[in-house]
Amino acid sequence: VSYHSELCFPLTSCQTTLDVGMYQCMAYNTVGAILSRRASLQFAYLDHFKVHTRSAVSVREGQGVVLLCGSPTSSGDLTYAWIFNEYPYFVQQDNRRFVSQQTGNLYIAKVEPSDVGNYTCVVMNSITKGKVQSSPTSLILRTDGVMGEYEPKIEVNFPDNVPAAKGSTVTLECFALGNPVPEITWRRANGVPFPSKVKMKYSNAVLEIPSFQQDDTGGYECVAENKMGKNTVTGRLAFYAKPQWVQTMKDTALAIEERLYWECRANGRPKPSYTWLKNGQQLLSEDRIHVEDGVLSVSALTLSDAGMYQCVAENKHGVIYLAAELMVLASPPDFTGNLLRALLKAKTGTTVTLECKPQAYPIASILWKKGNLITLSPDGTLRLANVSKSDAGSYTCFARNRFGMSSTTGRLLVTDPTRIIQGPVDTEIIVGESIVLPCQVTSDPVLDVSFSWAFNGQLIAKGDGHFEFVGGVTGDLMIRNIQLYHAGKYICVVDTDVESLSAVAVLIVKGPPSPPDSVTVEEVTDSTAQLAWSPGRDNGSPITNYLIQTRTPFTVGWQRVNTVPEIIDGNTLTATVVDLNAWVEYDFRVLAKNSVGVGEPSPVSVKTRTEDAVPDAVPGDVGGGGGSRYELVITWEPVPEELQNGESFGYIIAFRAFGEASWTHVATSAPGASRYVYRNDSIAPFSPFHVKVGTYNSKGQGPFSPVVTIYSAETEPSEKPAGVRARSVSASEIEVNWQALSFIPERVLGYEVAYWEDDTKPETMGKVRVPWNQTSATVSGLAGNTQYFLTVSAFNTAGTSPFLPAINVTTKKPPPSQPPMNVGWNLMGSQLSVYWEPVVAMESESEVLGYQVSFTFSVITLTTVNATAELTLPEDDEEYIIFVQTLSEGGLGPASDPIRIHQLSKLGVHSLNTVNLTGTFCPPLTHP
């Protein structure tokens, strides 16, 4: 591509008259040429003011005045300012003074004495940044009086019709002279308020409309007003827009002799006009070419029509260009990319379509040949209806135009139809089971067969969780662990080279019902609640009945409840829950049941509290007794909160002494109370009383418990046992004896033995109690060779009698810490001889008095003072475990390692019958 890409003017040669104008760039190559958009060249400049003295302006105070700028010749946008007296003091614009950026003049609405001075107009070129100043103009006051008040006179206004481009910023000026100083206001002719984007500047002398749009068009009015009157100017803003494309053409390739039709359309205001260019030259209507209002048509294209075309849309505000390439094609037939299939398979009885679509310009004529049969085809398509085996063979398509000829050949193979011999059938199945849906076919051996399955219109992918394709060459589908969402329509699709078949089955999955919904509690009493619900899905099996469960803050989990009707059938959607507790918050839920099982529960109902009622539960386990002197202690098991039936729950305690007719009643408001103590100095110790406990709440009094007999507090025994004796029986035990108490006024429940190691440390005390009919006790778990202090007292529910003076006893030395060692045995039949090494006690241990040989399982114990023992083994045990311990005053010592003897060892006399477990110790030769 060659470009005239840049046009440059040396600064020294730029001439404002010769070089100013419109320029376009042309780009061309072997295909054609196109023109760029137009570019306008202008030169900005600003001449100097003519040098001359300006006449002074003389005005009265209060009069308005206009000082003319008289701009020099220029090109480019200008801005204006005025210097007052000398630089850099510029005139400050306010409601009295205004510098017009349209005329450059300075307007003073009402002259004041402070305005007297010299004024210089300053003009600046916005492009060249050049700046020039006029000669000063003097403003002086006349001395013949002050100007009187007068109505506004508008000196700065705007044209009757102002064109504005879309998106531009529009500025309107309006300023008036007058005394008093006029106030400037703006309004739209249609009365619509100004949008927020509109700005007022310089005391409303300038109205600025940014981003001008179609809605901003219409009449605008400036009003200048003071107390002497008002004056108005009006004008109209007109909207214009450069052309913009709304319909374009594209690069086009057509065959020779075909017809070209292009259309382009553009929006704009005013409406654009259109011209067409070919390779940069304007096209006019002639012969085969027709140009009209954005439309170009060329009939019977020739190779010379190829090239670059441009559509040009233009109005007075702008011009736009659109380019496209026209290629004119001419070539002989070519089957590249459109060859007949080398082998085409078709099912017997179907219609086969063979398409011959060569690329040819102009379009080629088509001829088909099979053997000696020749067929003409205007559109290049050969259709064979109801094909049979005789239609099989090779087919050749010949294509010809004025530039040449070409051909392509393919072979047709006619196959037997494919049939589904076993397809899926409608089936019912239970959730969690598995099933195989069959899909088996018979087909022509030359065909490739593939299977696919769809579920409810969606293709089943391999490896999808529950689905598995099984059967090898068949299309069987296995569904494992079926869920409810697997119910629906299954389609087996069989695809071959020549056809597609399908078989459909509906799978019904049965499962427990879905949860019921919308459980509501409609009526509540103190013991019943009426429920209603809506059914869930039955999931393939009709709902047979419903179950209702409740939960309260006092239960663990959900509980089945009694209802009316007792059995709620599947068509019933209401029931009354009975046997509820009063004044308890309940949650309810409903479960549905069908032949498959019980479904998931419904959402939980809103918490519902039953109404309150008089208590109907009585305290349990009423009893008492004990306590301190002059007290009657009454106890009971509190009524659980869920049985209290209402608020303000409490207990009524009633009691009377034996022989009295009237009851004493006492109330307690503590719902968790379980004990009441009545104290009266007149109560005799251990006196019988009748007692009963009742309940009450805010609704009233409930029933009393059955009457029971209890006793008042008794006094502790006043006498102490006599004849106390104690002796050490081992290293860990002391035996204590005493004489029983008799004929004392107080009741004796038993005796208490207190013991401790150190008389100065009572915190080491231990206690042992025995019933009243025993006069001895054994204190165990003691330390060996240790002194203990002991005392005995009698006790009852009121306490213990005075203690006897303490006696002291020292426990025996502990038994030897070493067990018998080297235990051995000989067995002859059922006679067993056991022997061991004697144990020698240490000085701090009790002397060995003998040995104890014990059997496990048979629990036989033999005591001997020697280090041997002769035993007869029982006949009924399979195995014997024997161990040996020392005997001493300190008790039994630790056991030896056990020896195990099996029943088989007793059979016959063998060398194994005599076994020395240790192999080192021999028994003594003599016997005791």
Side-chain angles (χ1 to χ4, degrees):
V1 179
S2 174
Y3 294 98
H4 301 294
S5 59
E6 186 174 305
L7 189 61
C8 183
F9 295 91
L11 292 176
T12 56
S13 65
C14 287
Q15 303 180 43
T16 58
T17 56
L18 294 179
D19 297 324
V20 168
M22 302 295 294
Y23 292 82
Q24 280 182 286
C25 169
M26 176 178 284
Y28 61 89
N29 62 12
T30 57
V31 174
I34 57 173
L35 286 176
S36 70
R37 66 181 182 178
R38 298 170 189 168
S40 173
L41 176 63
Q42 294 179 329
F43 295 95
Y45 65 91
L46 177 61
D47 287 344
H48 290 282
F49 282 94
K50 293 180 180 180
V51 179
H52 69 280
T53 302
R54 298 194 175 196
S55 302
V57 178
S58 177
V59 294
R60 291 190 181 93
E61 181 182 350
Q63 184 179 354
V65 68
V66 179
L67 301 182
L68 302 179
C69 179
S71 300
T73 57
S74 64
S75 175
D77 293 336
L78 304 178
T79 58
Y80 300 90
W82 284 79
I83 297 174
F84 179 53
N85 287 330
E86 61 182 11
Y87 183 82
Y89 299 105
F90 287 90
V91 173
Q92 301 299 310
Q93 300 184 68
D94 52 24
N95 66 335
R96 198 169 58 83
R97 292 169 295 190
F98 177 67
V99 177
S100 171
Q101 298 302 314
Q102 303 293 331
T103 65
N105 299 334
L106 171 62
Y107 301 84
I108 302 177
K110 173 188 172 186
V111 175
E112 296 179 352
S114 60
D115 295 324
V116 173
N118 293 320
Y119 291 84
T120 302
C121 180
V122 181
V123 183
M124 185 175 74
N125 191 304
S126 301
I127 298 174
T128 67
K129 305 303 180 185
K131 186 185 300 183
V132 296
Q133 295 182 7
S134 69
S135 300
T137 300
S138 297
L139 178 64
I140 60 177
L141 287 180
R142 291 169 55 174
T143 59
D144 56 351
V146 176
M147 184 71 175
E149 294 180 340
Y150 64 96
E151 67 180 15
K153 179 184 178 184
I154 295 178
E155 290 288 343
V156 180
N157 54 31
F158 46 93
D160 294 338
N161 192 23
V162 179
K166 179 181 178 181
S168 65
T169 298
V170 179
T171 301
L172 302 179
E173 293 184 344
C174 181
F175 193 78
L177 311 182
N179 187 8
V181 175
E183 180 182 352
I184 305 296
T185 57
W186 295 83
R187 63 191 177 201
R188 295 187 67 171
N190 59 9
V192 176
F194 290 120
S196 59
K197 69 178 181 177
V198 174
K199 300 183 177 106
M200 308 288 184
K201 297 181 177 180
Y202 305 118
S203 301
N204 292 355
V206 175
L207 174 70
E208 184 177 280
I209 308 173
S211 185
F212 188 78
Q213 302 296 324
Q214 183 78 43
D215 293 343
D216 298 321
T217 59
Y220 284 77
E221 189 175 275
C222 171
V223 180
E225 185 175 7
N226 63 14
K227 69 179 182 179
M228 301 305 296
K230 67 179 179 179
N231 206 344
T232 303
V233 293
T234 60
R236 188 169 193 82
L237 292 181
F239 181 84
Y240 76 84
K242 298 177 182 179
Q244 286 187 319
W245 293 117
V246 295
Q247 182 178 342
T248 61
M249 76 275 195
K250 297 179 180 179
D251 293 341
T252 302
L254 294 174
I256 192 170
E257 299 178 359
E258 287 188 334
R259 178 174 177 267
L260 170 68
Y261 181 88
W262 268 336
E263 183 176 3
C264 59
R265 287 280 177 258
N267 284 339
R269 181 168 293 194
K271 182 179 178 181
S273 61
Y274 301 91
T275 57
W276 286 87
L277 305 177
K278 178 189 176 186
N279 294 331
Q281 302 299 315
Q282 185 173 353
L283 283 174
L284 300 175
S285 295
E286 59 177 1
D287 298 333
R288 298 176 297 107
I289 301 174
H290 179 71
V291 177
E292 181 181 2
D293 193 26
V295 173
L296 170 64
S297 65
V298 181
S299 59
L301 288 172
T302 66
L303 293 176
S304 63
D305 292 322
M308 296 299 300
Y309 289 77
Q310 288 178 280
C311 177
V312 184
E314 181 175 10
N315 65 14
K316 66 179 182 179
H317 302 294
V319 57
I320 54 176
Y321 292 79
L322 180 66
E325 178 188 357
L326 172 63
M327 292 182 288
V328 179
L329 306 175
S331 67
D334 182 8
F335 284 100
T336 302
N338 286 298
L339 293 171
L340 284 177
R341 287 171 58 182
L343 177 64
L344 176 64
K345 299 176 184 178
K347 183 180 70 171
T348 302
T350 61
T351 297
V352 175
T353 300
L354 300 177
E355 291 190 340
C356 186
K357 299 292 184 183
Q359 190 176 50
Y361 305 101
I363 295 175
S365 59
I366 303 298
L367 181 112
W368 284 93
K369 183 178 180 182
K370 181 197 178 215
N372 296 323
L373 180 64
I374 298 176
T375 304
L376 291 174
S377 175
D379 63 353
T381 300
L382 178 64
R383 291 177 178 83
L384 305 174
N386 192 23
V387 295
S388 63
K389 295 280 187 176
S390 62
D391 292 314
S394 294
Y395 290 80
T396 302
C397 169
F398 295 91
R400 180 194 300 272
N401 67 10
R402 62 176 175 164
F403 296 106
M405 185 184 74
S406 185
S407 66
T408 179
T409 300
R411 188 164 70 92
L412 174 63
L413 178 64
V414 179
T415 65
D416 293 328
T418 302
R419 292 184 300 107
I420 297 177
I421 58 175
Q422 184 180 3
V425 295
D426 295 349
T427 306
E428 292 184 358
I429 193 169
I430 303 299
V431 165
E433 295 181 351
S434 298
I435 190 174
V436 174
L437 300 178
C439 188
Q440 300 177 13
V441 301
T442 177
S443 63
D444 195 302
V446 301
L447 295 176
D448 294 326
V449 182
S450 64
F451 298 89
S452 61
W453 283 86
F455 169 50
N456 288 339
Q458 298 295 319
L459 190 67
I460 298 175
K462 291 186 178 180
D464 184 353
H466 296 266
F467 299 106
E468 181 181 347
F469 295 94
V470 297
V473 296
T474 67
D476 296 352
L477 174 69
M478 172 176 279
I479 312 173
R480 301 181 186 274
N481 187 21
I482 283 181
Q483 302 300 307
L484 290 172
Y485 56 79
H486 290 131
K489 181 187 290 186
Y490 288 81
I491 303 176
C492 173
V493 179
V494 183
D495 289 307
T496 69
D497 309 64
V498 298
E499 63 181 320
S500 180
L501 301 86
S502 64
V504 180
V506 174
L507 186 63
I508 298 174
V509 181
K510 293 183 177 182
S514 295
D517 198 10
S518 305
V519 177
T520 57
V521 183
E522 297 178 343
E523 289 185 24
V524 179
T525 68
D526 59 357
S527 63
T528 66
Q530 185 172 341
L531 269 61
W533 58 90
S534 58
R537 298 187 305 274
D538 63 10
N539 294 331
S541 177
I543 297 173
T544 56
N545 60 290
Y546 290 97
L547 310 174
I548 298 178
Q549 295 177 337
T550 64
R551 180 179 63 186
T552 73
F554 314 107
T555 59
V556 178
W558 291 88
Q559 310 291 328
R560 177 84 179 270
V561 290
N562 297 325
T563 60
V564 175
E566 183 177 353
I567 298 176
I568 308 168
D569 65 52
N571 297 318
T572 301
L573 299 177
T574 61
T576 300
V577 181
V578 299
D579 300 333
L580 300 178
N581 292 328
W583 200 244
V584 172
E585 272 194 343
Y586 283 90
D587 292 325
F588 297 94
R589 70 181 187 184
V590 181
L591 300 89
K593 182 179 180 182
N594 62 12
S595 61
V596 180
V598 179
E600 292 295 315
S602 68
V604 180
S605 70
V606 175
K607 286 186 182 295
T608 303
R609 184 183 287 275
T610 50
E611 294 181 352
D612 53 356
V614 173
D616 52 10
V618 298
D621 197 21
V622 176
S628 302
R629 191 171 185 179
Y630 308 122
E631 289 181 348
L632 177 65
V633 178
I634 304 170
T635 60
W636 62 91
E637 184 179 327
V639 174
E641 185 179 348
E642 64 267 29
L643 300 179
Q644 293 175 2
N645 287 8
E647 296 181 299
S648 304
F649 182 85
Y651 299 94
I652 301 173
I653 301 98
F655 55 91
R656 67 184 179 187
F658 264 29
E660 292 184 2
S662 60
W663 294 85
T664 299
H665 292 83
V666 179
T668 174
S669 60
S674 60
R675 186 173 186 267
Y676 175 74
V677 178
Y678 173 69
R679 181 177 178 82
N680 192 310
D681 292 348
S682 64
I683 297 177
F686 209 62
S687 301
F689 281 80
H690 286 155
V691 174
K692 60 182 179 179
V693 181
T695 56
Y696 71 91
N697 63 16
S698 58
K699 292 290 286 185
Q701 183 177 326
F704 276 95
S705 67
V707 176
V708 298
T709 301
I710 64 172
Y711 290 83
S712 62
E714 57 188 338
T715 57
E716 62 273 9
S718 57
E719 299 292 332
K720 46 194 174 186
V724 177
R725 306 180 309 279
R727 69 182 183 89
S728 173
V729 295
S730 71
S732 60
E733 293 178 328
I734 295 176
E735 182 182 274
V736 185
N737 294 274
W738 60 88
Q739 295 175 1
L741 290 174
S742 58
F743 307 113
I744 63 172
E746 298 84 21
R747 187 171 63 131
V748 175
L749 291 179
Y751 297 93
E752 179 179 282
V753 177
Y755 59 93
W756 60 96
E757 291 183 24
D758 191 333
D759 203 21
T760 63
K761 296 180 179 179
E763 65 271 12
T764 63
M765 179 180 291
K767 294 179 181 178
V768 175
R769 282 190 170 188
V770 295
W772 63 271
N773 57 355
Q774 286 186 220
T775 57
S776 67
T778 299
V779 180
S780 59
L782 305 177
N785 199 25
T786 303
Q787 184 183 47
Y788 283 90
F789 297 87
L790 303 99
T791 186
V792 182
S793 63
F795 71 88
N796 60 19
T797 59
T800 58
S801 67
F803 282 95
L804 288 168
I807 61 176
N808 63 76
V809 176
T810 299
T811 55
K812 306 283 188 183
K813 291 181 180 180
S817 58
Q818 179 181 335
M821 302 292 289
N822 300 321
V823 180
W825 57 274
N826 290 324
L827 181 63
M828 296 292 291
S830 61
Q831 295 299 310
L832 175 68
S833 297
V834 182
Y835 45 89
W836 56 91
E837 184 178 328
V839 175
V840 179
M842 300 175 67
E843 185 178 348
S844 60
E845 297 173 340
S846 297
E847 283 194 31
V848 177
L849 301 178
Y851 299 91
Q852 178 174 292
V853 182
S854 300
F855 286 79
T856 56
F857 307 123
S858 296
V859 195
I860 298 175
T861 300
L862 176 67
T863 302
T864 178
V865 296
N866 297 320
T868 63
E870 299 291 335
L871 304 171
T872 300
L873 297 179
E875 296 292 336
D876 53 350
D877 287 342
E878 289 292 326
E879 185 180 43
Y880 310 93
I881 299 176
I882 302 171
F883 53 89
V884 184
Q885 295 171 275
T886 58
L887 287 172
S888 68
E889 285 187 343
L892 283 171
S896 65
D897 290 336
I899 60 176
R900 297 177 182 270
I901 302 174
H902 197 272
Q903 181 73 264
L904 293 176
S905 300
K906 297 162 57 178
L907 300 178
V909 179
H910 299 86
S911 60
L912 293 178
N913 284 353
T914 301
V915 179
N916 185 334
L917 292 183
T918 63
T920 58
F921 176 70
C922 294
L925 298 177
T926 58
H927 293 278

